[in-house]
Amino acid sequence: CHGMHTRNSHTKITDDNQTSKLLNTTFGNIKAENQSLASTFDNFLNNRRKEATKTIIVEVQSSDSCNDLYSYCSSYGPIHLMHHYTVDKNHFFLVEFKNIESRKALMTAATHIHHQDIIPVQSQMFSFRNIAGQKKTKKIQLSSSDLANIHVPTINKPTVEKMSSALMNHTNDITKQMEILYDMWKLDDIGTRLRFFTAHQMENSFTSLFPNNIVLPFGSSVNGFGKKGCDLDLVMNLDNNIMEKQGSRLVFRTKSIVSDQRSQTKKTMELLSFIMQTFIPGISNVIRILKARVPIIKYDHLLTGLECDFSMTNMTAVYMSELLYIYGESCEFVRPLVFTIRQWASSVNITGVGTPGTTISNFQITLLVLFYLQQKKILPSINVLKSLSRPEDVRISETCDCTFLRNVSLFPIMKNKNNETLESLLTDFFVYYSTFDFSTKAISLRDGISLYKPNTDNLYICNPLEKALNVSKNVHATEVVRFIEAVRNAAELINEGNEKDSRGLLDIFAEKQPRKKITFFNKSFKRVNVADLFDDKINDEHKNNMTNEDIKKERIRKS
Ligand code: GTP
Ligand code: MG
């Protein structure tokens, strides 16, 4: 079922005939001239992927190498921009040429260090060395427009301490605090470039065997809810053009290792993982988790500083990212609100703790926020978006129909947002979920209303694209109760903050929820001792499908 989507919108990118004018504004500083075009997910992906083809990264001694590197690279063609960044105190520059030919010419001139244990792999990743006795490239005078494209030094990742001190300047304005928080943490231009560059490296590494392969980032790297430093989720499709040439008489000769699709994918991933670990520069700590429902290869990228989760033939996940992306594009409240609530959830230990699957994830929190905004009549339901879809919006993934209106400028006008502020929406979010009946109700973004749960899962959030599935199937009862207690607590704190001297958001963030043995409510909301809940059978699919060896490796990696 590779590439079952009906319209091939992510075509292979090899040319350089696009301008930078359409670059998306959400992730960078570059202003788009045509907003409605730029805000479609396909344009965003295609433009960022094209940038990656014209990009190299170069390890240098320090940021002082900037002019020297600029001069050297300029001798191969005009440079569009240079960005300094560090990974574990090692210094790098990301250099994007204006034309792909310049990048190709530079690669032709590059060499390998002559050494017996070197495998002479070529990629768009280099080190910049000084050669004793060799004349340095003549230093060119950088014009002011050149300088405008060079981003040095690196802006360090924000910390919770830095965020707190920035928020302290606006304690009486929660809306302003939410905007600051979003601006501080949202994925920036270099973060997005490095993610697409890392995806491009994987794609490029396998092009001789699979010329139509495509590797796309998905999840928070592209859905508009990405935080600086978030992981990179990648999906590879080995033949992105398979549906395009179904009428051809000539059929490629191929091999098949095993009979069914799932085993084939697992075998392919196993083989790819060996190549990745052995040959591909920067890839390290490769861990295969192939028995999980969605098999993945985890790895660290030492040259881009990213933690990556690599999967195959999972276009549904890309369309899910697109859905979240367009919801974020459609209303200016969505992203700052989601960021604030995710930050709050992490600070009160709702997310980022415990066994994955049994606790509430960032993805589930995001869906809770979007559903709440549907109840406020600020976002349309997926059914409405489906009913408004045009022929060019049709997408069928390997598992389901992912058709919905993809052009944000055609979204129905939601008048209700005019009466709201970020602060009022945040407060109401806490109030809304304080009284939500999680014991009997399921959350359905597709219908835009809550439904009765079809089973006894503790938390029921219908998968927005595959309604019969529950994305929070394995969340433990105690976690739901902790969530309810935390939202009630936050609602009270915000309310108290209005009456006395408050620190705004900092009041709700500071209030930690210790993981202690206290009395909670069970699924039917009768009071029970939490120890009883811990004895519940946990159906953790992810965990069950990992071998002991996988789990051990994962623990070592995490530690
Ligand atoms: P962070 O990585 O925490 O910043 O957020 P994320 O949205 O990237 O989450 P994660 O890396 O856990 O998952 C990546 C993507 O996979 C999500 O954005 C979803 O599209 C999808 N995903 C994650 N969890 C689930 C799940 O339980 N069910 C389904 N169907 N998709 C999921
Ligand atoms: Mg992720």
Side-chain angles (χ1 to χ4, degrees):
C1 56
H2 297 280
M4 268 176 62
H5 44 298
T6 54
R7 194 175 68 80
N8 179 8
S9 50
H10 310 298
T11 44
K12 192 89 184 158
I13 289 166
T14 49
D15 64 312
D16 180 35
N17 53 12
Q18 53 97 226
T19 69
S20 60
K21 288 174 187 163
L22 297 181
L23 290 180
N24 184 278
T25 50
T26 314
F27 292 79
N29 303 321
I30 301 147
K31 283 270 170 255
E33 281 193 0
N34 186 331
Q35 287 288 347
S36 68
L37 266 181
S39 60
T40 74
F41 189 69
D42 282 350
N43 276 316
F44 161 62
L45 283 191
N46 287 336
N47 289 327
R48 288 296 189 179
R49 295 181 67 233
K50 274 180 185 164
E51 285 172 1
T53 64
K54 295 181 282 183
T55 299
I56 57 167
I57 59 170
V58 187
E59 183 164 4
V60 289
Q61 289 286 321
S62 75
S63 58
D64 294 343
S65 307
C66 177
N67 280 16
D68 198 9
L69 182 66
Y70 192 97
S71 309
Y72 181 81
C73 292
S74 302
S75 64
Y76 293 95
I79 291 173
H80 177 59
L81 61 72
M82 260 173 78
H83 252 296
H84 175 251
Y85 68 95
T86 55
V87 179
D88 296 335
K89 298 193 179 140
N90 299 316
H91 293 260
F92 294 86
F93 275 100
L94 176 147
V95 183
E96 186 192 322
F97 286 98
K98 287 201 168 126
N99 308 306
I100 198 167
E101 287 70 28
S102 317
R103 195 271 293 157
K104 286 182 181 163
L106 175 137
M107 281 188 72
T108 314
T111 184
H112 291 101
I113 289 178
H114 208 60
H115 202 283
Q116 274 183 345
D117 62 3
I118 289 294
I119 304 171
V121 166
Q122 290 200 11
S123 78
Q124 289 163 229
M125 305 188 176
F126 306 91
S127 357
F128 193 44
R129 61 174 175 172
N130 285 326
I131 299 180
Q134 190 167 319
K135 231 173 56 184
K136 276 197 172 176
T137 14
K138 205 174 98 218
K139 212 166 205 168
I140 54 166
Q141 201 64 38
L142 302 186
S143 68
S144 54
S145 63
D146 285 338
L147 287 171
N149 295 332
I150 300 179
H151 303 281
V152 197
T154 300
I155 302 157
N156 287 328
K157 223 178 95 181
T159 58
V160 172
E161 290 71 34
K162 276 192 209 158
M163 179 188 72
S164 300
S165 74
L167 298 189
M168 274 311 278
N169 296 330
H170 300 275
T171 48
N172 55 0
D173 187 350
I174 289 185
T175 292
K176 179 79 188 158
Q177 286 184 320
M178 291 170 75
E179 286 163 359
I180 292 173
L181 182 141
Y182 172 59
D183 282 339
M184 274 186 104
W185 285 107
K186 73 175 177 202
L187 202 54
D188 53 6
D189 187 52
I190 178 72
T192 304
R193 282 173 193 279
L194 286 172
R195 282 168 168 72
F196 277 84
F197 185 75
T198 305
H200 175 70
Q201 183 196 30
M202 276 299 290
E203 186 175 297
N204 216 22
S205 301
F206 296 103
T207 37
S208 57
L209 277 176
F210 308 105
N212 295 329
N213 95 75
I214 184 169
V215 176
L216 293 174
F218 68 98
S220 60
S221 294
V222 294
N223 66 17
F225 301 115
K227 194 173 158 182
K228 289 188 176 94
C230 66
D231 67 358
L232 170 62
D233 304 291
L234 291 172
V235 56
M236 177 185 247
N237 191 339
L238 288 180
D239 189 353
N240 194 43
N241 288 355
I242 203 163
M243 298 305 283
E244 300 251 301
K245 297 187 289 172
Q246 285 302 290
S248 174
R249 285 192 63 193
L250 276 184
V251 177
F252 286 109
R253 292 301 303 264
T254 52
K255 290 183 170 179
S256 78
I257 352 175
V258 276
S259 53
D260 69 297
Q261 175 77 48
R262 193 176 156 76
S263 313
Q264 186 96 268
T265 301
K266 273 158 72 173
K267 191 73 198 161
T268 309
M269 287 181 75
E270 190 183 349
L271 295 170
L272 291 188
S273 74
F274 289 121
I275 296 173
M276 289 159 67
Q277 176 73 37
T278 317
F279 294 127
I280 305 186
I283 289 186
S284 172
N285 300 332
V286 176
I287 297 172
R288 290 181 294 273
I289 304 175
L290 301 181
K291 290 181 186 151
R293 189 176 56 83
V294 177
I296 54 170
I297 301 172
K298 283 182 167 292
Y299 64 92
D300 294 334
H301 204 295
L302 304 180
L303 307 179
T304 55
L306 295 170
E307 281 180 22
C308 307
D309 284 355
F310 175 84
S311 55
M312 290 186 82
T313 49
N314 185 13
M315 279 310 285
T316 315
V318 177
Y319 298 138
M320 181 82 82
S321 305
E322 181 171 19
L323 182 68
L324 301 194
Y325 174 89
I326 59 171
Y327 270 135
E329 283 284 300
S330 72
C331 167
E332 69 279 14
F333 290 138
V334 177
R335 286 171 183 155
L337 187 66
V338 169
F339 265 72
T340 306
I341 292 167
R342 278 166 68 149
Q343 186 71 32
W344 161 80
S346 151
S347 80
V348 296
N349 290 337
I350 293 290
T351 53
V353 286
T355 318
T358 62
T359 52
I360 297 178
S361 69
N362 272 334
F363 174 60
Q364 291 155 12
I365 290 279
T366 307
L367 296 183
L368 290 176
V369 180
L370 297 180
F371 177 75
Y372 154 73
L373 290 174
Q374 289 179 337
Q375 307 319 295
K376 299 285 290 182
K377 305 278 177 274
I378 287 177
L379 293 181
S381 70
I382 301 171
N383 276 344
V384 167
L385 295 183
K386 174 106 193 251
S387 68
L388 295 172
S389 63
R390 305 149 305 158
E392 61 265 45
D393 294 319
V394 174
R395 304 283 191 284
I396 311 292
S397 77
E398 42 310 296
T399 52
C400 59
D401 183 347
C402 303
T403 303
F404 46 81
L405 179 64
R406 291 174 143 79
N407 187 332
V408 179
S409 61
L410 302 177
F411 266 39
I413 295 173
M414 310 298 276
K415 289 206 178 96
N416 262 18
K417 75 176 193 182
N418 300 336
N419 309 326
E420 300 288 349
T421 62
L422 280 173
E423 177 173 351
S424 67
L425 288 173
L426 180 70
T427 309
D428 282 1
F429 170 86
F430 293 128
V431 173
Y432 179 76
Y433 282 113
S434 292
T435 53
F436 189 86
D437 180 9
F438 287 100
S439 61
T440 61
K441 293 290 177 64
I443 278 158
S444 168
L445 280 100
R446 183 159 281 280
D447 298 280
I449 50 169
S450 58
L451 306 173
Y452 280 101
K453 284 197 216 178
N455 60 28
T456 56
D457 287 351
N458 300 311
L459 177 62
Y460 206 110
I461 305 175
C462 305
N463 183 319
L465 297 175
E466 291 173 85
K467 196 176 150 188
L469 302 179
N470 173 12
V471 302
S472 48
K473 177 171 157 34
N474 298 323
V475 171
H476 202 251
T478 50
E479 300 300 326
V480 183
V481 177
R482 288 179 70 252
F483 177 78
I484 298 168
E485 297 218 330
V487 287
R488 285 181 186 166
N489 201 16
E492 265 174 42
L493 286 167
I494 288 199
N495 198 26
E496 280 169 22
N498 291 336
E499 292 158 17
K500 62 174 172 63
D501 267 0
S502 89
R503 298 180 305 145
L505 281 187
L506 290 168
D507 287 340
I508 56 165
F509 288 168
E511 204 63 28
K512 284 268 171 198
Q513 302 252 315
R515 291 190 148 246
K516 59 185 180 191
K517 284 204 169 190
I518 46 171
T519 311
F520 278 135
F521 299 92
N522 76 355
K523 280 180 251 176
S524 52
F525 292 87
K526 291 186 194 115
R527 272 194 179 276
V528 292
N529 191 301
V530 77
D532 300 335
L533 293 174
F534 279 128
D535 290 333
D536 280 5
K537 201 165 155 262
I538 301 172
N539 175 18
D540 178 3
E541 202 178 345
H542 180 61
K543 199 169 139 202
N544 290 343
N545 282 322
M546 284 167 80
T547 62
N548 286 343
E549 189 63 11
D550 289 337
I551 293 169
K552 213 163 82 195
K553 279 188 196 157
E554 179 64 2
R555 271 201 208 116
I556 295 168
R557 194 177 115 93
K558 283 259 186 293
S559 70

